[in-house]
Amino acid sequence: MGGDMNASFQQDDANDLVFVTGMSGAGRTEAMHSFEDLGYFCIDNLPASLIPNLLDTARGADGHMTRKLAVVCDARNKAFFADLQGELKKIADRGIPFRVVFLDAGDDKLVARYKASRRKHPLCEEGMTIAQGIAAERALLFDLRNAAHDVIDTTDMLPMQLRTRIRELFSENEEREGLAVTVYSFGFKHGAPLDADIVIDVRFLPNPYYDPALRSLTGLDVPVRDFVMYRDETVEFLKRWRELLDVVMPGYVKEGKQQLAIAVGCTGGQHRSVALAESTGDYLKTRGYRVSVTHRDLPLAESVRCALDETPNSKKDE
């Protein structure tokens, strides 16, 4: 089976169908979370007999996968692995590309992990020790390990390092593109954000609200944006702010963070924070990050409420 499996690995879309298996305690749950973060639809402990039905459902008319799948297989069903090898051979014979990832670790480490978790090893029968259960599982998986496309030894790995390794093998994007960044503006008078990882307060900058010509505008309008962005205080702030982002953002990527929220706040969430949230988002995009920019409290701004009140179909307060 190993030759057929390796032949299928050569095809470009082999990464669209991944079987994740290996020793119990070697990190399959962490691996499944990593694949979920990469956009895979993950199925845990699917019976081998149902794999053909799954593939028939997941493949389009052109024979290609309509979405990426990661099937996690473990020893909870002892008969699974004998059936699995036969099903993988059938998949290879059908010319469907796939990839098998085998997670392994040293026996001493696996014993220590099971003792720490206080969970029963799935192959431990009455009267068996953890070490005996591990030995039985290793014998059961011997052929599958030899046929796997990727063997990852997690003996000395932290969960973050396993996630990084899986991204290296299966991510189609640059590493920093795996971090989804949301930048949003807000107004402190409407409440401080609860979900932000980084909060920056820009109320120290001059406020366009006190200019009658700018009061009814927002940070999305050119006059307000120019008022905020071209002041000496803002130029100096942006220089230091971007230097800080250049330090912390690679650190978040290295730590395996998948989502990051940056909140930029001013008094009302209408002028300064809006302009600077847009600027922050634009800068991070130039650095290769996936960024979305939103404005939490802009609908609450006085100018926006007035505009809505003046629309033909709007309801006036009674």
Side-chain angles (χ1 to χ4, degrees):
M1 181 180 67
D4 292 330
M5 288 172 59
N6 288 324
S8 69
F9 174 47
Q10 300 301 319
Q11 302 186 42
D12 292 339
D13 52 356
N15 286 1
D16 289 350
L17 175 60
V18 181
F19 294 92
V20 183
T21 186
M23 298 296 294
S24 299
R28 284 193 310 271
T29 299
E30 189 68 31
M32 183 170 66
H33 294 159
S34 301
F35 279 104
E36 287 175 343
D37 291 339
L38 292 174
Y40 283 77
F41 181 75
C42 295
I43 303 174
D44 190 17
N45 202 29
L46 180 75
S49 60
L50 296 182
I51 291 177
N53 294 337
L54 172 67
L55 296 183
D56 290 340
T57 302
R59 298 174 74 212
D62 59 359
H64 293 285
M65 302 293 291
T66 57
R67 67 179 306 176
K68 294 182 177 181
L69 292 178
V71 181
V72 183
C73 318
D74 60 37
R76 281 173 285 179
N77 183 348
K78 298 178 185 179
F80 182 94
F81 289 104
D83 296 337
L84 176 61
Q85 289 182 275
E87 292 299 334
L88 293 180
K89 176 65 165 59
K90 293 177 183 177
I91 294 171
D93 291 343
R94 291 171 61 184
I96 301 174
F98 62 91
R99 193 163 170 175
V100 175
V101 177
F102 190 99
L103 302 177
D104 202 352
D107 287 357
D108 291 346
K109 179 65 72 171
L110 293 174
V111 170
R113 290 173 182 172
Y114 264 96
K115 284 186 175 180
S117 70
R118 299 183 180 180
R119 294 175 57 241
K120 180 179 180 292
H121 190 281
L123 264 65
C124 274
E125 298 179 355
E126 189 69 26
M128 291 179 62
T129 66
I130 295 175
Q132 289 172 327
I134 291 172
E137 184 179 30
R138 198 172 289 285
L140 180 66
L141 302 183
F142 180 81
D143 290 337
L144 190 57
R145 186 187 192 281
N146 288 339
H149 304 106
D150 303 284
V151 177
I152 303 177
D153 189 336
T154 68
T155 302
D156 298 315
M157 278 188 177
L158 297 173
M160 174 195 69
Q161 293 171 314
L162 176 57
R163 284 176 176 256
T164 298
R165 180 56 180 153
I166 290 174
R167 285 201 308 271
E168 290 172 350
L169 291 172
F170 292 93
S171 177
E172 298 175 355
N173 302 316
E174 293 292 332
E175 188 177 33
R176 65 182 54 188
E177 292 182 5
L179 174 63
V181 183
T182 299
V183 181
Y184 67 88
S185 66
F186 73 96
F188 279 97
K189 74 176 185 179
H190 302 299
L194 300 176
D195 59 346
D197 299 289
I198 300 174
V199 179
I200 189 73
D201 183 351
V202 298
R203 289 178 292 183
F204 68 93
L205 295 172
N207 193 346
Y209 178 85
Y210 296 108
D211 184 333
L214 302 178
R215 181 174 301 176
S216 63
L217 303 178
T218 76
L220 299 176
D221 295 308
V222 173
V224 173
R225 186 171 68 243
D226 290 348
F227 178 96
V228 173
M229 301 300 294
Y230 294 121
R231 305 190 73 88
D232 292 340
E233 302 97 317
T234 307
V235 171
E236 182 64 21
F237 162 71
L238 282 176
K239 176 183 176 183
R240 304 301 177 89
W241 173 228
R242 290 169 177 174
E243 288 174 350
L244 175 62
L245 290 172
D246 286 341
V247 172
V248 301
M249 296 300 292
Y252 284 124
V253 171
K254 185 177 180 181
E255 288 296 315
K257 193 171 182 64
Q258 297 297 308
Q259 292 183 309
L260 179 72
I262 301 174
V264 184
C266 64
T267 303
Q270 178 179 349
H271 298 109
R272 294 164 292 181
S273 63
V274 173
L276 287 166
E278 291 285 336
S279 175
T280 299
D282 288 342
Y283 178 73
L284 292 175
K285 289 175 184 177
T286 68
R287 308 300 285 176
Y289 297 97
R290 293 189 295 116
V291 183
S292 59
V293 179
T294 61
H295 304 292
R296 191 192 76 178
D297 296 331
L298 199 55
L300 301 177
E302 181 178 350
S303 61
V304 176
R305 291 202 309 271
C306 290
L308 290 174
D309 289 342
E310 292 171 2
T311 58
N313 295 324
S314 64
K315 292 183 179 181
K316 302 292 184 178
D317 292 336
E318 297 180 355

